[in-house]
Amino acid sequence: MRDYAVLDTDREPAFDEIAALAASVCDAPIALISLVADHRQWFKAKVGMDRDETPIDVSFCRHALGGDDILVVPDATQDARFADNALVTGDPHIRFYAGAPLVAPGGKAIGTLCVLDRTARPEGLTGLQRQTLEVLSHQVMSQLELRRALRERTEMQERLDLALDASEMVGAWDLDLVNDRVTADARFARMFGVDPQRAADGAPLGEFSASIHADDRDRVQAEIQSAIDRVADFESEYRLSVGGQERWVLARGQAFDDGSGRASRFPGVVVDITGRKTVEAELAATVEALEHSEARFRAIADSMPQMVWSTLPDGFHDWYNARWYEFTGVPAGSTDGEGWNDMFHPDDQERARVRWQHSLTTGEPYEIEYRLRRADGMYRWTLGRAMPIRNESGEITRWFGTCTDIDDLKRMEQGKELLSQELSHRIKNIFAVVSALVALSARQHPEAKAFANSLRTRIGALARAHEFVRPHTETSRPSVGSMTLHAFLKALFAAYLDDEGAPRVVLTGDDTVFDDQAATSVALLFHELATNASKYGALSRPGGRVTLATRFDGDRFHFVWTERGGPEVSGPPQRNGFGTSLANLSVEGQLGGRLSQRWNPEGLEVFVDLPATALSRRRHALKAGEAAGGAA
């Protein structure tokens, strides 16, 4: 019932005529087109009935909805369903009822076409009356379907008109070729700069074609004439120039003949496509810019000394620059996909593959050194690097990488390393020669033996510091250990192990990186402290121990030297010896720190406070340089 939207509508002649015809054919004083709603039955058309509706509980029609055939009640007073019905016992005193169900196309009955009489009819309806009532019920449904279709078409047309009026993008025309009259809607008229009322009444074609851009007018008129001559379709894109504004339109039409083979009418529509044309122009400009950009990129990439390559997000290599093919000598495309790995030295292939897979999985930048086969078959050391390109969502869209020939640099580094090791070896020999000269001089001058021994131990400490920081080969490196402060001090204190090999100088606290610039000063400082402890302090007795605690405190680094188990300390010495002066010089002069001592009865405590950068100046300088470069 909601779909038909007919309840409570005004009377309509088509339905009234059907009700009147039913009453006449069936010779009945009352005829109704009754529609059954939720709580009532409402009469779309009525003959002989004053009421517009009745409650559902007194409805005869609702009993007719359950079947496909006409419901006939010869005498309502004798029918248990209706004997007590208010319409039977009271006005209009119904005795006879015959109702044909109104069945919608989906099979649902929505009401009846019925006739009623105040006199019983034991004989019911005649065959003609029954047939007429059935035919008329079908006619009622046809009218309802037609009414619904017209309403839906009207609503659709209204929506379309509203949408078209809002968009101002589509207009329609109809050209009468015989009389040269164009009738058009208001949208078409506004597009062509013609008064809408004049366009609705009809105007010559020339008034409209005058708005076509001068550069397009001859072409469009020729296309229109061709469609007319061929009685065929018409389609054209052209510009309109109205009020100083230029807009693009797409026109489509169809020429129709009058039966003689000649075109007489030419209707069609025109669509504003200015937006599309603007997008197309912008896209064409973008494509052209991209082509120029790609050409410049290829020119730059092909002129670079590095080999440049690119992959898809999954690592599939799909592009190399000219330098790659020039260096490797392989045919173009032969190293696409996974073929690139075969160009590496067999000993480097698995390592390179694993490193590349790691970058693909994590998105980390790719960097590795490997040997790459040159066109002449020789392998040269190459530095491979790649960075991911990400979109706004952070997803990798492509990888770009380079291969740089570093074979000559590798050979230079190897030569420098060899020279550095040779120089370091000569310095080590100088320490040995100087120590031997001191020993020889002591034998010739016995009175200087104590001084000579002290000097030799200091030279030995410098030699051990040099041994720790000098350049090493892979074979010499394991004998020295890692380049950290604790590793260095453990090597320095190895001379003070107890009889069972346990350390008597115990290291605790924070470890840190350590370089050659601090090695000499630290070696001299702790050599003096350990020497004095072995002569006068905790290490001079078997049970004595020293604890050296190291600690970071913000931008400072602290050493605390604590001796326990040695002779009782009576107080600070009366004068500072050479060793104390040397220790102060190492801390304050070389490392930029502060040194203080506490002469406790139970043992000496020494406090050293250094800048955190003092032990690794070169490393911090490099970091500062990188940070400055990044900021720039």
Side-chain angles (χ1 to χ4, degrees), residues 485-610:
L485 175 64
H486 281 198
F488 174 72
L489 292 175
K490 285 179 181 178
L492 188 66
F493 297 142
Y496 303 99
L497 300 176
D498 61 18
D499 295 339
E500 297 179 357
R504 299 184 68 192
V505 181
V506 179
L507 290 168
T508 64
D510 300 326
D511 199 359
T512 184
V513 292
F514 188 59
D515 65 21
D516 55 336
Q517 291 188 344
T520 300
S521 300
V522 172
L524 289 176
L525 168 65
F526 288 105
H527 169 75
E528 293 301 324
L529 291 176
T531 299
N532 289 337
S534 65
K535 291 179 180 179
Y536 317 112
L539 300 183
S540 65
R541 291 186 176 180
R545 289 289 184 273
V546 176
T547 300
L548 178 57
T550 58
R551 177 174 59 89
F552 274 110
D553 183 14
D555 61 350
R556 309 296 295 180
F557 194 83
H558 300 280
F559 293 91
V560 179
W561 173 279
T562 305
E563 298 186 22
R564 292 293 184 267
E568 182 177 351
V569 178
S570 59
Q574 297 300 316
R575 65 181 183 85
N576 290 333
F578 176 73
T580 301
S581 300
L582 188 60
N584 285 325
L585 178 64
S586 298
V587 172
E588 297 175 3
Q590 301 298 323
L591 298 177
R594 297 186 298 273
L595 183 145
S596 59
Q597 297 168 317
R598 186 180 298 165
W599 301 90
N600 303 315
E602 63 273 18
L604 172 66
E605 285 185 305
V606 179
F607 303 91
V608 179
D609 178 11
L610 303 176

Side-chain angles (χ1 to χ4, degrees), residues 176-214:
D176 180 351
L177 295 171
V178 176
N179 299 304
D180 186 27
R181 307 295 291 177
V182 175
T183 55
D185 61 20
R187 292 180 296 275
F188 186 92
R190 285 191 290 269
M191 286 184 191
F192 283 77
V194 177
D195 178 68
Q197 186 57 53
R198 180 163 176 73
D201 296 338
L205 176 60
E207 289 191 25
F208 294 91
S209 59
S211 298
I212 300 176
H213 194 284

Side-chain angles (χ1 to χ4, degrees), residues 251-267:
R252 285 178 176 169
Q254 169 72 57
F256 294 92
D257 65 23
D258 55 3
S260 65
R262 297 180 59 185
S264 59
R265 289 187 59 201
F266 187 34

